[in-house]
Amino acid sequence: MILLMKLVFLCCCSKRELVSAFTLQDEANLQASILTGYNKDLKPGWDRDVPLQINIMFFLFSIKEFDFNTGKLSVTGLFFINWTDERLAWNPTNHNHTNMTTIPQNKLWLPEFINVNPYDDLTGIRQDHLTIHLQYSGMCAWFAIQSFEVVCNADVTKYPFDTQTCALRFYVWGYFSHEIDLVISSPEVDLSLYVENSIWEIRDATIYLRLDYWKNKEIIVKLEMKRRSPYYVVSLIIPIMAVSFLMAFVFILPHDSGERVGFSTTVLLSIIVYLTIIQDLLPESSEPNISALGYLLVTYVVSGAFVVVEVIITLRFHRKSSENPVPRCLRCILIFFRRKRRKNVSVKPIGTCSKTNKTDNDENGGDENNEVQWGEVLTLFDTFCFIFTLFVFFMSALIYLCVVLT
């Protein structure tokens, strides 16, 4: 259908160039003739019981801007609209074979297309510098090009792997459905003149009609856009995970180095800086959902705060004097892990069973008698914190990737 309409328009233009017998004066006389007594305030159509058919197509040229914080989508597009106005028909033979002319749009009747979800004020698509291409049959072809700024509430749940769906909504203002019959010439938005955007990729672009509450037809231009995410993966996701991964290795640093608190605090501040950057990029609203990346960073911040507390506790253990006995609860925990490490009992000859049992009993009973040092408690605590911090990191990253990639 789109190709057919383009061919018709090209044929009309070609016909005008081939039939070049008419002159400037002929065209001037033609416009004076058809516009004499013409009332642009009246809707075309001799029979007022028959609705005027208006055919609509939409061409998308570019996506200028999509601001998440303000919910502003700015695009440039063109409406190709045509209808028949019998009052403007003429016989070409009476005007030296003049079969087509161009008239400024402010001299003819136009359907009042109003954008009803604008970012600022209600706007139409009338422009004083636009013209109407008029054929001898009374067919009016209007190429209305304009930049549209509409409201589009972003769903940042899967940022920066998100897909946004935005719509431009239009009404033909001032007429009811029994007076105007809107017809979509093609359900697909024409992207033949579209210039690719560096951030957004058009996944789907359609135009359709929808009945509102009062059964009036509303024109919907729907755009489905997917963010180009490689830049964000390289500059945001990978650095965040790399910095957060370092948090666990603070428990491998020697206690005597004195760098544990500084290292853990520096990593925590780095994660907070990334959290601030994300907050500046995303809108403040919580609907429909908060970004999963925000949850990931908050998880890393909270775990980083616990790591700082754990580092301070390990330093306190390290400074404990050997004269201070280890509390009974810590001794019990350490003895339990000692016994776990001694589960691998080697096979002995039959003749040595009694001796082996005696030795094992001595060793098992000796666990409680052996003195537990603070160094052993500190090593066990560091090992537990290291494993637990890595577990939190990998589980948080895995949950985030499952959310954004599904």
Side-chain angles (χ1 to χ4, degrees), residues 192-259:
S192 58
L193 302 176
Y194 176 71
V195 178
E196 290 289 340
N197 187 271
S198 59
I199 300 178
W200 297 100
E201 174 189 358
I202 297 293
R203 300 293 298 272
D204 189 25
T206 58
I207 178 172
Y208 58 93
L209 298 175
R210 182 177 66 184
L211 295 179
D212 62 9
Y213 179 79
W214 293 277
K215 304 302 180 182
N216 293 322
K217 290 183 178 180
E218 181 182 12
I219 305 167
I220 307 293
V221 179
K222 183 179 178 181
L223 303 177
E224 183 177 329
M225 306 172 295
K226 181 174 178 58
R227 185 188 298 274
R228 303 181 190 273
S229 57
Y231 167 79
Y232 300 93
V233 172
V234 174
S235 62
L236 197 63
I237 304 298
I238 293 179
I240 287 174
M241 293 188 174
V243 171
S244 303
F245 180 70
L246 294 176
M247 184 67 73
F249 290 87
V250 69
F251 298 104
I252 299 180
L253 291 176
H255 296 86
D256 297 332
S257 65
E259 297 295 334

Side-chain angles (χ1 to χ4, degrees), residues 157 159 275 278 282 290-300 400:
T157 305
Y159 177 88
L275 180 61
I278 295 299
L282 301 181
I290 300 177
S291 172
L293 183 58
Y295 283 117
L296 178 67
L297 287 174
V298 169
T299 302
Y300 286 161
Y400 169 73

